[in-house]
Amino acid sequence: MKALLFRVPTVDDRSFRVQVDHDKHFYQRLHFHPEFQLTLIKEGTGTLVVGDRIDRFQPYDLVLLGANVPHVMLNDADYFQPDSPRQVMAYSFFFKESILGDIFITSPELMHIAELLREATHGVRIRFSGPNSLTDRLEKINELRPFEQLMLLLNTLDTLTLTPDCERLSGTSYKNPNKPVDHQRLENVFNFILTNYANAITLDDIAGVANLTPHAFCRFLRVHTRKTFSQLLNEVRIEHACRLLKDSTQSVSQIAFSCGYANLSNFNRQFKQVTGMPPRDYLKRTN
């Protein structure tokens, strides 16, 4: 399999790249790249993995990712059905931190943006409830002149620093990529869990996926995600359970079993540990 380093196409006479994704689903491999990425999701839902964070993504999420932060937006299963009418759309900037050179360091007016870019080593996000003047402008980035695009990028970064609802995503800060073999192992592990979370997965199973002994795998996972295997697996299962509680008519017990839990009491306990509330309270809050 290919290494996780993703090469962002560049334009020789531009210091940043604008990209509009309109397809059946997003890029499905856990990856990283040396450019910062600022993305507005217009259409699409699924599982968001940023560093050690596993969560949902949805329309009007605005996400800023620092250089070399491992990430993937894995669309829900129905996006991959042959006759599915579902599609995704996103508007992105890819840029290097050096885009304005020493101006970030020497100009007090831009220090708050420089601090935001440092925070982006964890990944940050704003969840808008719907379209607004900022998202409307981002949706028209292809209609703007390069100078106007650059001003929009700076304006959007400025908005992120002023919004109290801006949240840090990953508990781990990423500044430099690890060895390619480590990224490959992480990709294999995440892909296996995201594909098989509904089944019983033993430590021996997942260690074999990483081509490590169980003891070495536990140490590897702790170093790279700051999580145990059981924590990682439970977060994936509960993330999918949250989606089903919001979007399906299944009972709580049916959802528990479909997400890989053998009994309801364990599901309730794990759900509260991950979300801070029992499933029925979560269901009431989302209705």
Side-chain angles (χ1 to χ4, degrees):
M1 298 177 68
K2 295 181 180 179
L4 284 170
L5 177 61
F6 185 83
R7 301 291 184 184
V8 176
T10 58
V11 180
D12 291 340
D13 61 346
R14 299 279 291 277
S15 58
F16 60 92
R17 174 179 170 80
V18 166
Q19 180 171 303
V20 177
D21 293 295
H22 190 191
D23 210 334
K24 292 185 176 297
H25 56 77
F26 290 124
Y27 183 66
Q28 297 295 289
R29 292 171 64 99
L30 185 72
H31 62 286
F32 68 96
H33 40 72
E35 295 84 4
F36 282 71
Q37 178 177 340
L38 177 67
T39 294
L40 172 70
I41 300 170
K42 173 66 182 299
E43 296 181 52
T45 59
T47 300
L48 174 69
V49 178
V50 175
D52 62 7
R53 176 73 173 270
I54 300 171
D55 203 348
R56 293 289 292 168
F57 69 85
Q58 61 191 33
Y60 296 103
D61 280 0
L62 180 63
V63 180
L64 174 65
L65 303 172
N68 300 312
V69 175
H71 60 280
V72 66
M73 291 186 292
L74 181 65
N75 285 107
D76 295 325
D78 53 348
Y79 283 80
F80 299 92
Q81 298 300 319
D83 299 323
S84 174
R86 306 201 71 176
Q87 60 182 6
V88 300
M89 180 168 282
Y91 304 87
S92 298
F93 284 97
F94 294 91
F95 61 97
K96 296 288 185 67
E97 188 174 7
S98 58
I99 186 170
L100 290 181
D102 293 335
I103 295 179
F104 275 119
I105 300 173
T106 59
S107 299
E109 296 83 1
L110 293 173
M111 289 181 64
H112 63 303
I113 294 181
E115 177 59 33
L116 173 67
L117 296 182
R118 287 191 288 271
E119 183 71 5
T121 59
H122 298 269
V124 294
R125 174 178 66 186
I126 294 177
R127 311 202 85 164
F128 294 118
S129 59
N132 54 54
S133 58
L134 176 62
T135 64
D136 288 346
R137 292 198 300 275
L138 286 169
E139 289 180 36
K140 298 175 181 176
I141 53 176
N142 268 351
E143 303 173 14
L144 303 177
R145 295 183 296 114
F147 176 81
E148 294 171 325
Q149 291 175 338
L150 177 58
M151 291 301 100
L152 176 57
L153 170 60
L154 292 177
N155 181 258
T156 305
L157 294 174
D158 178 63
T159 299
L160 281 166
T161 68
L162 299 175
T163 304
D165 294 331
C166 185
E167 61 172 321
R168 174 189 286 192
L169 291 171
S170 174
T172 302
S173 173
Y174 292 85
K175 294 183 180 179
N176 296 300
N178 297 316
K179 299 175 182 178
V181 67
D182 290 337
H183 283 282
Q184 187 63 68
R185 282 193 173 116
L186 279 176
E187 182 193 19
N188 292 345
V189 166
F190 273 108
N191 285 343
F192 186 84
I193 292 175
L194 290 168
T195 303
N196 297 281
Y197 68 89
N199 304 319
I201 305 175
T202 67
L203 180 58
D204 285 339
D205 292 334
I206 197 66
V209 170
N211 198 27
L212 294 169
T213 66
H215 178 73
F217 171 75
C218 291
R219 185 171 62 251
F220 169 82
L221 199 64
R222 175 67 72 176
V223 167
H224 291 280
T225 70
R226 297 184 181 179
K227 298 178 188 294
T228 65
F229 167 58
S230 61
Q231 286 175 322
L232 187 62
L233 179 59
N234 277 318
E235 288 182 6
V236 171
R237 286 174 168 171
I238 297 305
E239 187 275 321
H240 284 274
C242 288
R243 175 174 58 84
L244 292 174
L245 284 169
K246 291 168 58 177
D247 300 337
S248 79
T249 58
Q250 296 181 64
S251 67
V252 172
S253 59
Q254 288 174 319
I255 290 173
F257 296 139
S258 68
C259 290
Y261 291 96
N263 62 78
L264 186 58
S265 61
N266 184 37
F267 171 71
N268 288 334
R269 182 169 61 254
Q270 298 298 338
F271 193 98
K272 186 174 182 180
Q273 184 172 335
V274 173
T275 67
M277 65 184 74
R280 297 189 186 281
D281 289 353
Y282 179 88
L283 188 58
K284 291 177 184 177
R285 193 188 70 171
T286 56
N287 286 340

